[in-house]
Amino acid sequence: MTCEVYEDLIPVYVDGELDRQNAELVEAHINQCESCKDAYQQAARFREDISSALRMHQFKIDVVSAVVEQIQPKHSRTSAWVWIPAAAVLVLAVCLFAGLQLAPSKTASPGTLSGKHNPIPAPHINIAKADQVSNPTKHMERPIQLQSAPKHISKQPVLQILKAKQTVAIITAPAGSGQAQIIMKYTDNDRSDPQNDNQYPLAPEALPVPSPGQKIVAENEIVSISGRRLQRVCYRIIEDTDSEIRMEESHDNN
Amino acid sequence: MCEGHKALENDLLIDQQIIGLVNNGKIDAFGELVARYQVPVFNLAYSLLTNRADAEDATQDVFLRAYKSLHTYTGQGLFWSWLRRITVNICIRQAQSAKPIYCDDMDTFIDTDSEVCESIICSEELEELRTMIYRLPLQYRSLIVLKYYEDMSYAEISEILGESVSNIQVRLFRARKMLQESAKVYTL
């Protein structure tokens, strides 16, 4: 090979990209040829200088927060704007549903709450005192103490309310953080049965957390339709005018 | 086993642990990966784009792309090699769409007043050489950066750019020639 050929091979040799056979030929030649040895040294220096020039400035940067912010799910930044209206819609829907199913209307479809095989006749309103209902059968809802609704709740009973209790929901998550687990606890008068003191998570099991200054109130009522005892639960978001959380606070309304 | 190899394996292990967390829904753990690789990604992007603002945009794009594609990283090879491929692709696409530079423009960048320096090149001359590299057209500059800044082999460059090894070799030869002619320091 001539020096011209070696001069073409030398930069590739410096890059470490020549195969072993050609690399050995180049090494042998530059040890014999001064001109090609100079070319090799210059090429090696050129490579070194290019690397140094490109590495002479190492810039610092911090894009961690910018990147992490962009990969976060979008809903977490808008949760407050989504959940508050959603809470209102949910409460309205539950109340409307309960009202439609249990309202004393002649056109109301019977049997909605009774199951497929046991239709209920048209509602018959029977005003009765709570203490007139006794010895509930096992399949019926357990009787609970009657409690007057708080003054700031507009409550218009449309059915015979045998017993009812209004409980302030326990919020287990901070306001605006998403959903809260609603746990209602109610007891009957019979303390001999320890199971009566259990906690019952009621559907819906989770409700949106109300905004600050509000709280969720669950009204749990035992109503009577043509002699059948049914349970109705209504959730409302009310203004939290009371700083005290009313839990397990109940009294007879009569 | 040498210390460098141990450190490399350690890095690989840490990367894979973080990636496992991210793939299991720990989104915040991805910030650790960004913190570990943002400087090399940015400096590679800067070398290719030669502009700080563009390089910063590209750096963010690289990590966003990496996050979306993280499930495709199989753990074969270094995470940095995978991330570097994304970086090169994004930067070349960004440079091509923003301001195409052609080889014909090279004459306007040649500095004929460069002094010949026989000894070890001084920092000013390194700065000059860096400027020359940055003024190369993208198709040549990218090869110089990948070969002499990233120390990638011809085969790796060929794979990442989707071109043949012989084509890479020829273009790299031309790129070196352009620099030698412009700097006049390294005339063979």
Side-chain angles (χ1 to χ4, degrees):
Chain A
M1 284 194 288
T2 63
C3 284
E4 284 185 353
V5 175
Y6 279 114
E7 282 179 4
D8 285 344
L9 289 177
I10 282 171
V12 185
Y13 171 75
V14 169
D15 283 347
E17 297 280 351
L18 271 187
D19 58 69
R20 187 167 186 168
Q21 186 181 359
N22 281 321
E24 287 175 356
L25 286 174
V26 169
E27 286 169 6
H29 180 75
I30 59 178
N31 283 332
Q32 298 169 357
C33 175
E34 283 299 316
S35 170
C36 287
K37 189 176 184 178
D38 287 347
Y40 162 73
Q41 288 172 342
Q42 206 160 22
R45 204 188 80 202
F46 184 44
R47 179 197 161 93
E48 188 64 33
D49 287 346
I50 291 175
S51 295
S52 300
L54 287 169
R55 293 190 172 107
M56 65 187 300
H57 298 300
Q58 287 291 301
F59 300 101
K60 291 183 178 177
I61 191 173
D62 187 1
V63 295
V64 175
S65 54
V67 171
V68 170
E69 186 183 349
Q70 290 183 68
I71 63 174
Q72 292 289 344
K74 301 292 181 190
H75 63 75
S76 63
R77 285 181 280 176
T78 57
S79 58
W81 299 103
V82 170
W83 283 111
I84 291 172
V89 170
L90 178 64
V91 168
L92 187 63
V94 170
C95 292
L96 279 174
F97 178 77
L100 284 173
Q101 296 300 314
L102 301 176
S105 167
K106 290 180 180 176
T107 58
S109 175
T112 307
L113 297 176
S114 63
K116 291 178 181 175
H117 306 296
N118 193 13
I120 300 176
H124 170 69
I125 299 177
N126 177 25
I127 305 298
K129 290 183 179 179
D131 56 6
Q132 290 177 319
V133 179
S134 60
N135 298 322
T137 55
K138 287 183 179 178
H139 68 277
M140 295 178 179
E141 296 295 332
R142 61 187 74 244
I144 56 176
Q145 290 183 324
L146 187 65
Q147 180 192 2
S148 61
K151 292 176 183 175
H152 49 275
I153 294 181
S154 172
K155 186 165 177 284
Q156 296 178 343
V158 292
L159 293 178
Q160 174 199 12
I161 299 176
L162 302 177
K163 293 190 175 184
K165 180 179 179 179
Q166 180 266 318
T167 305
V168 177
I170 300 171
I171 309 295
T172 58
S177 66
Q179 288 190 319
Q181 179 74 31
I182 306 301
I183 300 171
M184 291 190 66
K185 185 178 182 182
Y186 56 99
T187 60
D188 58 25
N189 292 326
D190 184 8
R191 289 285 181 178
S192 61
D193 182 1
Q195 289 187 344
N196 288 339
D197 203 22
N198 285 342
Q199 290 189 346
Y200 299 90
L202 299 179
E205 291 186 356
L207 284 178
V209 178
S211 60
Q214 293 181 323
K215 58 188 175 188
I216 294 175
V217 171
E219 291 183 74
N220 184 27
E221 296 175 334
I222 302 296
V223 298
S224 171
I225 302 176
S226 299
R228 291 183 61 84
R229 293 162 52 82
L230 300 169
Q231 179 178 345
R232 183 172 70 174
V233 183
C234 181
Y235 295 93
R236 297 167 191 252
I237 290 182
I238 62 169
E239 294 301 316
D240 188 8
T241 53
D242 287 340
S243 58
E244 180 187 359
I245 300 295
R246 286 185 296 273
M247 184 66 195
E248 293 302 301
E249 178 188 326
S250 60
H251 62 272
D252 284 338
N253 202 27
N254 299 305
Chain B
M1 185 181 294
C2 67
E3 289 298 319
H5 195 178
K6 273 185 182 176
L8 207 61
E9 280 196 344
N10 205 25
D11 279 352
L12 188 61
L13 199 62
I14 293 171
D15 288 344
Q16 287 178 344
Q17 285 174 342
I18 298 172
I19 290 163
L21 287 173
V22 177
N23 284 335
N24 285 326
K26 302 284 185 188
I27 296 175
D28 288 344
F30 191 74
E32 287 295 320
L33 280 180
V34 179
R36 284 167 65 79
Y37 290 103
Q38 60 182 347
V39 170
V41 165
F42 176 77
N43 281 282
L44 174 57
Y46 188 88
S47 297
L48 292 168
L49 297 170
T50 68
N51 176 289
R52 185 176 178 87
D54 289 346
E56 194 166 332
D57 288 346
T59 302
Q60 290 194 35
D61 288 347
V62 166
F63 285 110
L64 293 176
R65 175 85 60 83
Y67 177 74
K68 288 176 183 169
S69 311
L70 198 58
H71 62 282
T72 66
Y73 172 64
T74 59
Q76 299 290 323
L78 294 175
F79 178 69
W80 167 239
S81 300
W82 185 78
L83 199 59
R84 181 169 60 189
R85 177 190 290 266
I86 297 175
T87 307
V88 172
N89 287 335
I90 284 182
C91 289
I92 287 180
R93 194 171 304 160
Q94 186 170 322
Q96 285 171 339
S97 62
K99 188 182 178 184
I101 302 174
Y102 300 102
C103 185
D104 293 343
D105 295 337
M106 267 305 294
D107 289 343
T108 59
F109 298 131
I110 292 174
D111 180 3
T112 53
D113 295 331
S114 297
E115 294 179 5
V116 176
C117 181
E118 293 292 338
S119 60
I120 297 173
I121 198 163
C122 59
S123 61
E124 282 182 10
E125 285 164 336
L126 281 180
E127 189 74 54
E128 183 79 19
L129 182 59
R130 190 173 67 96
T131 305
M132 295 294 173
I133 295 168
Y134 283 4
R135 288 178 179 177
L136 283 176
L138 178 65
Q139 58 176 326
Y140 297 108
R141 184 174 71 244
S142 58
L143 295 183
I144 292 286
V145 168
L146 294 180
K147 181 63 192 171
Y148 300 116
Y149 179 70
E150 288 294 326
D151 280 331
M152 294 172 71
S153 67
Y154 291 174
E156 286 174 316
I157 298 171
S158 152
E159 190 187 350
I160 210 168
L161 295 180
E163 297 178 32
S164 67
V165 170
S166 58
N167 196 22
I168 297 295
Q169 191 171 334
V170 168
R171 271 172 47 208
L172 199 55
F173 181 81
R174 288 201 65 188
R176 280 193 301 258
K177 279 287 181 193
M178 287 174 184
L179 285 176
Q180 285 167 350
E181 287 170 4
S182 60
K184 291 191 180 295
V185 176
Y186 305 95
T187 306
L188 296 173

